[in-house]
Amino acid sequence: MNIRLNERMLLNKNRLLNYDNTYKDVYKKDMSMSWPGDFIGRYSLALSSLYSALDKVSDKEEVLNELKKVVSERRKYVNKHFFMGPLFNDSLINEQQLSGNSWYIRSLVSYYRITGDSEILDEIKCIIEELLLKVWPHYSHYPLKDKREIGDVSGHTSLTPIDGFILSSDIGCAFILLDAYTDVYELTKDSRLKEAIEYIIDIFMKIDYVSLMCQTHATITCARSITRFYKLTNDTKYLDYARKIFSDYENYGMTLDYENINWFNKIDSWTEPCCVIDSFILAHDLYLITKDNKYLKLFGRISTNGPRIFERDNGGAGCASILYTKDSILKCHMYEAWFCCSMRFGEGLKCLSLSRLIELSKDKYLALYPDKYDKDGISLDIDYYCNKSIKVKSNKDIDLLIYIPDGFIVKSSNTEYEIKDNLINIKVSKDNEVLIECELSINKEKDIYFMGDMLLTRKDIHTDPIVLIDGMKYSYVLSSCEYKKEELEKISQFL
């Protein structure tokens, strides 16, 4: 079964709105964890993202109502400078507080962009003065070389401070704060933040993040932030940095199924959907900036396989084993990372939603994520894996580029189409429907098999279509959200 994006968004929305708590308990959960701002920030940012992504007005209103309730409670829990946890202490900096508050600050920015609430903007400006402009010089003595204790699925802090930092087992997570810096800079254009951002990026680029075994999610979040900063400055140095980080991630942090290794080169760990999600957001952004085909193909591979593997039947997201070699086994490692990844999925879904149709110029469009789309007089139904067809209809003449994976073959059409760099160019006349029937060939890469972008696996439970390769049965990597927890934890898939 090919799960459509609207189904995914509704599943995730229902999960977020039916956490085992009321909106007030979201803050209590945040305060019970060792990541001030992390839970409430991720939760609110997910709601803001889903509000932007959902199509139906009733769904959007439901999400916005919850978001407003959550935000209305914030002042009972923030400190007097409006961020989470203790006030800034320049002699003892908690790395996890910086990381957690990055999500919280971004949630305020997102909420302000939706509502225009001036009180929120005032709080953001206070956080700029009392946290962002105070902490950045201290990155100069962030420990760059010391080997650290590797944590569990949820990181923890060290007992002994080093160079004024209480460090996290999620190595490098202090640099997640760059995500907030660049988001706030984009909103306010405060020139003082630009200096801070440049400084922190320069510090990060001195880190041998692969040898230090930094957390891949922290590293990819940093790369996303640097990419955002490039779009604001047009300084190619920052684009080069982001591309280098992504290249290192591909070589030392990505699995065969296009998920992630939780720490660079630590193959006896697990995947983390937060990183998988941020990696397809990064691939998406880098492709739109550079038009480099490799990022387009990465976006296709990650966004096709990642959600099928990590999405759960309750709409949350969970961790899996690491597929590092041909002999690896794909299994559920943790049913749901409800405290981070289920919420992070919200912004990932927003990225996929916006990728369904991108306006390039007047009457010229780009469809990056194959799915259903029906808005503003343009209707798309792109499904390579089950219906094996592309259907397009428009109420005006349009020029449309659609992403197609490797192995795409036009099976039936009345027209010949130009295909170049994984894009098929379709001219759609007003009120005419274009129908292209297609099929996908099987590709072998690194001794594993794909059909288009879809990973093929061997297992006891097969879903259609089943293909025979060297006498063995393969089918699409299972869509985990179709299985209950007890079933999923018993399933093994093989390459």
Side-chain angles (χ1 to χ4, degrees), residues 125 272 277 316 474:
K125 288 178 178 178
E272 185 190 30
I277 292 158
Y474 287 80

Side-chain angles (χ1 to χ4, degrees), residues 188-434:
T188 66
K189 301 300 188 295
D190 187 325
S191 60
R192 298 172 298 168
L193 291 174
K194 183 174 184 289
E195 181 185 2
I197 292 165
E198 291 169 341
Y199 186 82
I200 297 171
I201 292 174
D202 285 345
I203 295 292
F204 184 79
M205 294 312 297
K206 294 175 183 175
I207 298 176
D208 185 350
Y209 41 80
V210 174
S211 295
L212 191 59
M213 297 177 70
C214 283
Q215 188 200 38
T216 50
H217 176 228
T219 306
I220 290 298
T221 299
C222 193
R224 269 198 314 97
S225 310
I226 295 171
T227 303
R228 184 189 290 126
F229 193 55
Y230 163 73
K231 289 190 284 186
L232 296 170
T233 63
N234 289 316
D235 187 336
T236 56
K237 174 176 76 172
Y238 298 111
L239 178 59
D240 292 343
Y241 284 169
R243 296 184 73 163
K244 179 189 184 304
I245 294 168
F246 204 5
S247 178
D248 288 336
Y249 170 71
E250 286 180 76
N251 292 326
Y252 308 109
M254 187 180 282
T255 60
L256 292 175
D257 55 337
Y258 291 84
E259 293 207 272
N260 76 306
I261 304 167
N262 200 37
W263 294 271
F264 279 106
N265 279 331
K266 185 169 173 52
I267 61 173
D268 58 339
S269 56
W270 47 83
T271 68
E272 185 190 30
C274 287
C275 183
V276 179
I277 292 158
D278 278 314
S279 69
F280 71 63
I281 294 174
L282 178 58
H284 165 273
D285 290 350
L286 287 176
Y287 174 69
L288 292 180
I289 292 168
T290 66
K291 299 301 185 289
D292 187 332
N293 185 246
K294 82 170 186 175
Y295 298 121
L296 178 60
K297 294 169 75 168
L298 279 167
F299 175 73
R301 286 291 171 91
I302 301 167
S303 62
T304 296
N305 297 291
R308 287 181 71 91
I309 294 166
F310 67 62
E311 187 181 25
R312 304 305 187 224
D313 66 310
N314 68 355
C319 309
S321 59
I322 287 177
L323 287 184
Y324 194 70
T325 67
K326 170 76 173 176
D327 299 324
S328 305
I329 301 171
L330 178 58
K331 297 182 69 173
C332 172
H333 176 83
M334 179 182 189
Y335 173 71
E336 184 186 9
W338 56 268
F339 45 85
C340 61
C341 301
S342 296
M343 297 178 284
R344 192 75 201 105
F345 198 18
E347 193 170 17
L349 290 166
K350 176 183 175 181
C351 172
L352 298 182
S353 177
L354 295 175
S355 300
R356 290 180 295 182
L357 194 69
I358 300 166
E359 187 172 4
L360 299 176
S361 59
K362 182 174 169 48
D363 299 332
K364 185 166 185 177
Y365 297 87
L366 171 65
L368 287 186
Y369 184 72
D371 193 63
K372 283 189 174 181
Y373 178 92
D374 194 351
K375 198 173 181 181
D376 300 329
I378 300 174
S379 175
L380 307 178
D381 189 349
I382 307 169
D383 183 359
Y384 309 126
Y385 299 104
C386 292
N387 296 333
K388 298 186 177 181
S389 65
I390 297 173
K391 297 178 185 177
V392 186
K393 192 169 183 179
S394 174
N395 65 359
K396 61 181 179 179
D397 294 349
I398 61 171
D399 187 358
L400 179 63
L401 293 168
I402 298 177
Y403 167 69
I404 54 173
D406 287 346
F408 175 91
I409 302 166
V410 175
K411 187 177 179 183
S412 174
S413 174
N414 294 327
T415 309
E416 288 190 8
Y417 297 98
E418 180 187 2
I419 297 176
K420 183 180 179 182
D421 294 333
N422 292 93
L423 294 170
I424 185 168
N425 189 198
I426 300 174
K427 313 283 187 183
V428 186
S429 301
K430 180 179 178 181
D431 297 331
N432 284 339
E433 183 176 83
V434 172

